[in-house]
Amino acid sequence: MDTRETILNSALELFYTKGYDSVGVQEIAENAGITKPTLYYYFGSKIGLLDNVIERNATKLIDLMKDASFYQGDLPLTLNKVATVYLEFAIEYRKFYFFMIALTYHAKENDAHKAIEPYIRELYRIILSIFESAEKELGNMNGRQQKFAMGFIGTINYYILFLAETSDADEVAITNDQIFALVHQFMHGIYS
Amino acid sequence: MDTRETILNSALELFYTKGYDSVGVQEIAENAGITKPTLYYYFGSKIGLLDNVIERNATKLIDLMKDASFYQGDLPLTLNKVATVYLEFAIEYRKFYFFMIALTYHAKENDAHKAIEPYIRELYRIILSIFESAEKELGNMNGRQQKFAMGFIGTINYYILFLAETSDADEVAITNDQIFALVHQFMHGIYS
DNA sequence: CAATTCATATACCGATTGGTAAAATAGATG
DNA sequence: CATCTATTTTACCAATCGGTATATGAATTG
């Protein structure tokens, strides 16, 4: 078993369950079956450990989203593709996904928030670029691209989170049909 | 000066700035110009202090939202009213608002999250009741009321948060026009 | 085999954590 | 003034915090 990997998994597990600030390095080490100095040998500091957890997972998400957001003249198609990829990531890497969302909404001055911030901005930039590319279809948007991007991300995130909170099972139970319905609602409103 | 009030303000300030878990009771006391035992005299424990901070502010929001959500047969009107009240609260009590959102997305097992959870559920219930009341207007919704409620809250929250993050000023700069536009987008989609 | 590098553990550091016992002060009441 | 109660302080607690000096075991390399 790869020690480094074991520590990263242990850290994500605990960060996800209790939050970055309320977990001690000692606890992470014990949970991984190693001692504290070993952890420091690999990651240097607690925030260094967090950086590694984030980098490893967030990079994967960013790459997936970059691919999915490639625009070919069909906005609904692209939005559905992006939403699907995003959802599938949230399901496969659910612990990281929920931890990432938590950090997103942490206080700005908080170190843990600072670690995730660049990836959140990148994600927003990717979604924004879809709406910017769709200007020919949608016509003059008067700067509404930003609002669309925010609304789109906000809607999906809140939807996933709320479903996860209200469902009994320990997994995200959302089908592609539900995602399509959500994207449709986003595009055409509630009167349809 | 009311000692109790001073402590509550000091706590909210620091919780908002650095997050509940990364702030020490000592720091809160110093910031309030008193000593630790005085704080414990009033609030018993750190989580007791948090409970008081939340109760005082969240109750206010809940009451406002209950009033604003009273449905009289006009869905757009009600949604605008609710969105406006919500936004005005976010502006007037911005520190608490942002702290509340942060706690909402904290890990489920986290004590601080548990403290805010009932108020979040209540808030959701209030928004949901609007869409349930609007069934006559919207026709059979096939359980989509929940999705509407989630989408509505998610959109507004993310919108406020993003604007706050990208604006330089230390205040939420959103006009009523922008809120109307957001509600309109939510109701009619992006093709309008 | 010897020297060196990599990996892991024991045992410790000062600082801070949430929390409290007990004394001192302040304000009200008889 | 004396008593009582409501506050607030000084001084402390064990436990945990993030982090490290140093020794030791395990591989690798000359």
Side-chain angles (χ1 to χ4, degrees), chain A residues 23-25 36-37 40 46:
Chain A
V23 170
V25 177
K36 235 179 351 163
Y40 277 88
K46 190 188 180 186

Side-chain angles (χ1 to χ4, degrees), chain B residues 2 5 13 19 23 32 55-56 79 82 88 101 108 110-111 125 139 144 164 181 187 189:
Chain B
D2 188 344
E5 204 75 5
E13 171 83 34
V23 170
E55 206 270 340
R56 186 158 71 113
L79 290 183
V82 162
E88 279 169 359
I101 299 297
K108 268 193 251 184
N110 187 285
D111 288 335
R125 223 189 43 72
R144 287 193 298 163
M187 286 190 296

Side-chain angles (χ1 to χ4, degrees), chain B residues 70-97:
Chain B
F70 183 71
Y71 189 70
Q72 288 173 301
D74 189 337
L75 183 61
L77 185 79
T78 307
L79 290 183
N80 272 315
K81 205 166 55 179
V82 162
T84 304
V85 165
Y86 192 71
L87 172 70
E88 279 169 359
F89 180 87
I91 292 174
E92 187 168 355
Y93 302 96
R94 73 181 302 271
K95 285 175 188 177
F96 175 75
Y97 170 76

Side-chain angles (χ1 to χ4, degrees), chain B residues 69 71 124-134:
Chain B
S69 67
Y71 189 70
Y124 168 74
R125 223 189 43 72
I126 290 171
I127 304 292
L128 181 62
S129 77
I130 298 174
F131 291 101
E132 280 169 346
S133 302

Side-chain angles (χ1 to χ4, degrees), chain B residues 8 20 35-37 41 74 79 116 132 148 150 152 182:
Chain B
L8 285 171
Y20 174 79
T35 57
K36 242 192 326 177
Y41 174 77
D74 189 337
L79 290 183
I116 200 78
E132 280 169 346
F148 293 164
M150 289 178 228
F152 190 66
L182 193 78

Side-chain angles (χ1 to χ4, degrees), chain A residues 108 121, chain B residues 94 162-173:
Chain A
K108 269 192 247 181
R121 292 194 111 86
Chain B
R94 73 181 302 271
F162 197 91
L163 281 190
E165 186 147 339
T166 48
S167 70
D168 298 324
D170 196 34
E171 55 182 59
V172 186

